[in-house]
Amino acid sequence: MTVLNTNHILTFSCIVSAAVVILGRTCSCLQFTYPNFNTSQKDDFSFSPGSSITNGSLYITPNTGNISHQSGRVVYARETLKLWNSKRTSLTSFRTEFVLNILPQNGSAGEGMAFILTNNPSLPSNSSGQWLGVFNNQTDGAFENRVVAVEFDTRKSYKDDLDGNHVGIDIDSIKSVDQIPLSNQSITLSSGSDVWVGIKYDGTTLLFEVTLIQYSTSGQQHVSGVSRLIDLSLGLLDDIHLVFAGSTGDFTQLNQIKSWNFTTIDNVGRGHGRKVLLALIVLTIFALCLFAVLFMWRRLTRQRRLAYRNLEKMIDAHGPVKFKLKELRRATANFSPTRKLGRGGFGTVYLGYISRMNLEVAVKRVSTNNAKSDRGEQEFVAEVNTISKLSHRNLVKLIGWCHEGAELLLIYEYFPMGSLDKLLYASARVSNLSSETSVLELTWERRYRIICGVASALDYLHHGSSKRILHRDVKTSNVMLDEDYNARLGDFGLARVIQHDGVTHHSTQAVAGTRGYMAYESFFTGRASLDTDVYAFGVFIMEVVSGRSPSSSVSYRNQDESAGSTREAMYIVDWIWRHYGEGNVLAAADTVLRGVYDKAQVDCAVRLAVACCHPNPRERPSMRTVVQVLMGGAPAPEPPYVKPAFVWPPSGSQSEIQLPHVGLLFTGGQTSFCSMTSTSLTGR
Ligand SMILES: *[C@@H]1O[C@H](CO)[C@@H](O)[C@H](O)[C@H]1NC(C)=O
Ligand SMILES: *[C@@H]1O[C@H](CO)[C@@H](O)[C@H](O)[C@H]1NC(C)=O
Ligand SMILES: *[C@@H]1O[C@H](CO)[C@@H](O)[C@H](O)[C@H]1NC(C)=O
Ligand SMILES: *[C@@H]1O[C@H](CO)[C@@H](O)[C@H](O)[C@H]1NC(C)=O
Ligand SMILES: *[C@@H]1O[C@H](CO)[C@@H](O)[C@H](O)[C@H]1NC(C)=O
Ligand SMILES: *[C@@H]1O[C@H](CO)[C@@H](O)[C@H](O)[C@H]1NC(C)=O
Ligand SMILES: *[C@@H]1O[C@H](CO)[C@@H](O)[C@H](O)[C@H]1NC(C)=O
Ligand SMILES: *[C@@H]1O[C@H](CO)[C@@H](O)[C@H](O)[C@H]1NC(C)=O
């Protein structure tokens, strides 16, 4: 270890070069700009019969001859969009902008146009009229269409169509999953004047956003838009064609695209040919220098390194900021009790103010008992390491950390609104005071968005990155709210990283969690798993829908013909399952909502919740499926009407032993399921 070994350098630079070459090759960096269109560029596109480049614009449907009952498509033909980013760590993010102009030819417009992402670029037959050149009578609704479309509809042509001037998002069917009227925003698609359209997709958060802008003759700007969580990988395959489609019917219009640009946003390097070569050389040289410097530095700081070895080794070079204890003491008024925000995970959380960043933060001080033990430090390092690699808009961001002496501290984003449980139960209190005037903060719309957000975050943890991450403590007090009432899932104190490979590692040791959110089987296995997270998420939905705490029993009114109504104490899972089984899903909704909610969404949420809380872990949906259902990409599950008895081990394994209804075991109030030894229950 005295000289810089040349073999090391060579090996290292080879690895770097290989990495750069691989990144360069698989880079999905589709990008183009057409300020206008010129007939000399016609080879960049493929046109269906009658569509063309005319007068500097793309004409999606014919502009001469018989223009009624026509449909057409223009496909960008030079390259396809890759579904995944180059590292295949997330879906490709992209941004596209175009200017459309729709000119009616018969006074009234018909029918509309669409921007579509699809694996099937060719124009379907008989796709004129209401089908917008995207679907036809036979293909409508079929998964095989592999179409995600933004429609610009200028005619109401069937029952579910909103009106003759709307924008909508269509997935495999002309019946939009979301549609927004434009007339009340003073935007008219078919006015013959330009409409600027921007579409943005974030491959990690799955947010698909459409924005429309039109200027009135007086120069006033009118803006509208629609957005939705869409997991493109559920419907689309890898090579995605970018397509404009349009149609006419009895009434006709010219469907024009005047300019268009498209950019993929990939956090991995982009560039071609010489740029890649140049980057490779620069990077190699840089890496060599870095390597040499690191090597020297490591030797010089060997002593210090030993002290911190466990910690430093595991924290990414680009990881969170390292703070000095002194600064954090100052930021939290020396951990003053008045700054205490609460207790969570295995430590206390304080409000801090970092003056050099002008930033309010939440400082989690890992309790000294934990910190002293080996286990505390290990968990701390695991937490820092895991969280620093995660980035999702529904996760609380880790800003930094500090480890000095026996003090272990984590610094997180601070959310002044606090955690969801506070608001959930505060709003219940308000309604008890029966003040009709008080404004309900947690409206159904917000609750549903919170459920979607937490689902998306969990899906990201479970399936979104190369490592599987369990949350292990999903509950309302671990969900923060930002100022727009978006959910931010926090507290990964218990998170453990599980590799994808190795079948035996799909669960981890050391059961942890919060009563009321713990799945039945965890009392037997003593393990957390993807399934126990899903169970906790099911309870979470129930809590958000009903505004009732899972740790206390609720009374259920039995409508008994003979005895009038009797009451029975039940825990939330049984309570909601009972309502579901009786086809009375809406009775589970929080009374403070006063019936103001989207019935279909409540129904969907309750079905999902019940499915997630299935006693048999194998029957629970994955978070992937949950997200798919929440965004309307899959039908809501239909769990059995009567909660099945808990059987351990789950059916399929040998030596099944039937247990009494678990609800009964729980209704004994504090009678703990845990207190029975697993041997007495499993007979093993
Ligand atoms: C179209 O492109 C050709 C060749 O690139 C050029 O000569 C011509 O001026 C362009 N026409 C327009 C309208 O831009
Ligand atoms: C193209 O421009 C010419 C001349 O300005 C005009 O006569 C013609 O109608 C235009 N064609 C279309 C389809 O707008
Ligand atoms: C125009 O074309 C459509 C579709 O091919 C056809 O249904 C319609 O009858 C035609 N109209 C005229 C006037 O030729
Ligand atoms: C294209 O991209 C540029 C910025 O890259 C933007 O300014 C312009 O408005 C975009 N839109 C169109 C339709 O060209
Ligand atoms: C629209 O115009 C075309 C030709 O100008 C005509 O054939 C057609 O009948 C008109 N349609 C309606 C509904 O007026
Ligand atoms: C298109 O419609 C015509 C008449 O409506 C029908 O004869 C033809 O079979 C249809 N084609 C397809 C592919 O459905
Ligand atoms: C297709 O069209 C025929 C007649 O035009 C209609 O009877 C049938 O219901 C349509 N099918 C669908 C799936 O819309
Ligand atoms: C326009 O109307 C729709 C539905 O009627 C409504 O949801 C939306 O909030 C309205 N927008 C404005 C700005 O009034």
Side-chain angles (χ1 to χ4, degrees):
M1 284 281 282
T2 45
V3 279
L4 206 53
N5 189 328
T6 37
N7 272 346
H8 282 165
I9 300 178
L10 276 178
T11 319
F12 189 73
S13 49
C14 282
I15 292 171
V16 170
S17 319
V20 170
V21 168
I22 289 167
L23 291 184
R25 190 167 50 213
T26 61
C27 158
S28 54
C29 35
L30 176 57
Q31 186 163 20
F32 56 77
T33 303
Y34 293 96
N36 55 42
F37 298 90
N38 186 321
T39 41
S40 66
Q41 296 159 331
K42 66 178 190 308
D43 292 340
D44 293 0
F45 303 93
S46 76
F47 298 91
S48 64
S51 53
S52 61
I53 294 179
T54 312
N55 286 1
S57 295
L58 295 178
Y59 278 79
I60 311 304
T61 48
N63 55 25
T64 54
N66 173 8
I67 65 170
S68 70
H69 295 280
Q70 303 290 339
S71 63
R73 281 191 179 191
V74 175
V75 182
Y76 181 70
R78 293 190 78 88
E79 223 180 316
T80 54
L81 173 66
K82 298 284 175 242
L83 183 58
W84 296 92
N85 74 0
S86 45
K87 287 200 223 151
R88 294 191 77 86
T89 49
S90 74
L91 297 176
T92 305
S93 301
F94 62 81
R95 200 179 61 215
T96 183
E97 296 168 8
F98 50 86
V99 171
L100 62 81
N101 186 304
I102 296 176
L103 188 61
Q105 298 294 291
N106 287 66
S108 185
E111 294 271 346
M113 57 191 293
F115 171 73
I116 64 185
L117 301 166
T118 183
N119 298 111
N120 303 318
S122 55
L123 178 70
S125 57
N126 294 358
S127 59
S128 68
Q130 66 176 95
W131 305 112
L132 305 181
V134 187
F135 307 104
N136 65 28
N137 182 315
Q138 270 78 42
T139 65
D140 186 41
F143 179 68
E144 293 75 31
N145 285 324
R146 301 200 181 279
V147 165
V148 173
V150 180
E151 64 164 52
F152 306 94
D153 204 332
T154 57
R155 174 153 294 272
K156 178 170 168 65
S157 40
Y158 56 96
K159 188 168 61 64
D160 296 330
D161 225 1
L162 191 61
D163 61 12
N165 185 35
H166 67 264
V167 60
I169 296 180
D170 301 351
I171 300 178
D172 292 333
S173 166
I174 200 72
K175 295 199 178 59
S176 306
V177 292
D178 262 324
Q179 43 185 337
I180 300 272
L182 296 171
S183 300
N184 64 357
Q185 306 279 25
S186 306
I187 294 181
T188 310
L189 292 172
S190 57
S191 62
S193 81
D194 291 353
V195 180
W196 178 95
V197 181
I199 298 174
K200 225 165 75 183
Y201 184 63
D202 186 322
T204 49
T205 65
L206 307 184
L207 188 68
F208 189 92
E209 288 178 285
V210 182
T211 309
L212 285 84
I213 300 178
Q214 190 173 40
Y215 291 92
S216 62
T217 43
S218 60
Q220 207 184 343
Q221 175 177 314
H222 301 288
V223 183
S224 186
V226 53
S227 66
R228 189 180 177 83
L229 289 178
I230 299 180
D231 186 342
L232 292 181
S233 69
L234 296 176
L236 300 180
L237 303 175
D238 205 12
D239 287 311
I240 301 169
H241 295 270
L242 307 175
V243 182
F244 284 105
S247 70
T248 60
D250 287 339
F251 292 93
T252 61
Q253 63 188 23
L254 297 179
N255 294 302
Q256 235 187 114
I257 298 293
K258 293 174 114 176
S259 66
W260 183 19
N261 60 23
F262 190 98
T263 318
T264 43
I265 307 160
D266 197 343
N267 36 16
V268 189
R270 59 168 64 113
H272 290 290
R274 278 166 58 185
K275 272 194 210 158
V276 170
L277 196 70
L278 200 70
L280 189 143
I281 293 167
V282 170
L283 223 85
T284 311
I285 293 170
F286 180 74
L288 283 176
C289 296
L290 198 76
F291 185 73
V293 169
L294 264 178
F295 187 84
M296 300 305 226
W297 185 79
R298 276 167 66 96
R299 274 182 47 193
L300 286 175
T301 60
R302 191 132 187 269
Q303 284 305 104
R304 254 196 304 161
R305 183 164 52 86
L306 281 177
Y308 282 90
R309 195 183 51 201
N310 282 341
L311 210 63
E312 309 276 299
K313 193 171 62 186
M314 300 180 74
I315 294 171
D316 244 357
H318 307 289
V321 182
K322 181 175 170 179
F323 287 93
K324 287 229 180 304
L325 183 58
K326 220 170 83 191
E327 182 171 21
L328 296 178
R329 279 194 191 284
R330 218 180 312 125
T332 57
N334 202 12
F335 303 110
S336 155
T338 58
R339 298 289 193 93
K340 201 159 136 179
L341 294 172
R343 286 189 65 83
F346 46 104
T348 310
V349 183
Y350 297 88
L351 171 61
Y353 173 73
I354 309 281
S355 47
R356 72 178 152 116
M357 296 177 169
N358 185 22
L359 188 67
E360 281 190 308
V361 294
V363 179
K364 181 162 160 191
R365 188 187 201 189
V366 177
S367 60
T368 346
N369 289 346
N370 282 328
K372 273 185 190 139
S373 72
D374 242 16
R375 187 178 162 69
E377 170 153 339
Q378 272 176 18
E379 274 183 83
F380 171 76
V381 171
E383 184 165 9
V384 169
N385 193 34
T386 307
I387 301 172
S388 67
K389 293 197 179 108
L390 300 174
S391 167
H392 186 280
R393 82 187 216 122
N394 296 109
L395 288 178
V396 174
K397 199 170 277 130
L398 179 72
I399 295 169
W401 58 277
C402 166
H403 176 237
E404 282 181 31
E407 290 278 4
L408 297 178
L409 297 137
L410 291 170
I411 294 88
Y412 293 97
E413 262 179 300
Y414 170 63
F415 296 99
M417 298 245 295
S419 56
L420 173 59
D421 59 331
K422 297 209 178 92
L423 217 57
L424 203 53
Y425 302 119
S427 64
R429 265 207 316 280
V430 166
S431 89
N432 284 348
L433 296 175
S434 75
S435 70
E436 290 284 337
T437 52
S438 75
V439 181
L440 179 64
E441 279 203 279
L442 281 181
T443 59
W444 172 254
E445 197 192 338
R446 286 177 179 157
R447 290 183 200 220
Y448 194 72
R449 195 143 46 86
I450 287 166
I451 292 172
C452 292
V454 173
S456 170
L458 275 176
D459 173 45
Y460 172 74
L461 292 177
H462 285 184
H463 310 291
S465 58
S466 53
K467 307 209 170 195
R468 268 191 189 169
I469 295 156
L470 300 182
H471 186 283
R472 300 160 66 103
D473 203 8
V474 178
K475 57 179 174 181
T476 47
S477 59
N478 274 340
V479 173
M480 301 294 143
L481 294 179
D482 68 16
E483 60 279 13
D484 298 323
Y485 296 89
N486 288 312
R488 298 297 204 96
L489 184 58
D491 203 350
F492 297 83
L494 303 168
R496 285 280 170 63
V497 182
I498 307 168
Q499 302 289 344
H500 259 311
D501 55 0
V503 192
T504 53
H505 298 302
H506 282 227
S507 60
T508 66
Q509 288 293 349
V511 68
T514 303
R515 261 188 75 88
Y517 292 91
M518 289 170 78
Y520 312 92
E521 72 274 13
S522 49
F523 298 106
F524 290 94
T525 61
R527 282 161 178 269
S529 64
L530 296 182
D531 301 324
T532 58
D533 267 3
V534 171
Y535 183 92
F537 178 71
V539 177
F540 169 84
I541 300 185
M542 293 180 178
E543 192 177 353
V544 175
V545 170
S546 67
R548 290 170 194 268
S549 161
S551 57
S552 61
S553 61
V554 288
S555 61
Y556 184 88
R557 191 180 296 140
N558 271 328
Q559 295 296 356
D560 204 318
E561 319 82 50
S562 52
S565 70
T566 60
R567 281 170 180 278
E568 189 185 327
M570 286 189 152
Y571 280 88
I572 193 165
V573 174
D574 299 278
W575 183 73
I576 293 223
W577 206 310
R578 183 80 73 89
H579 280 307
Y580 163 70
E582 290 175 353
N584 194 11
V585 162
L586 298 181
D590 197 338
T591 49
V592 302
L593 292 171
R594 297 176 202 278
V596 182
Y597 44 67
D598 181 327
K599 293 196 179 67
Q601 283 181 352
V602 173
D603 183 68
C604 172
V606 169
R607 278 170 193 276
L608 264 180
V610 168
C612 290
C613 292
H614 199 290
N616 183 350
R618 295 181 191 170
E619 298 288 332
R620 291 174 205 150
S622 68
M623 287 314 299
R624 216 357 82 100
T625 310
V626 169
V627 168
Q628 198 177 349
V629 170
L630 285 172
M631 62 179 218
E638 308 231 340
Y641 289 125
V642 175
K643 188 169 101 173
F646 175 63
V647 173
W648 190 258
S651 50
S653 323
Q654 77 269 67
S655 72
E656 291 176 15
I657 287 153
Q658 285 271 349
L659 286 170
H661 200 259
V662 174
L664 296 178
L665 289 166
F666 274 116
T667 42
Q670 289 313 308
T671 315
S672 171
F673 205 34
C674 314
S675 66
M676 303 186 188
T677 65
S678 62
T679 30
S680 72
L681 285 164
T682 59
R684 270 190 276 150

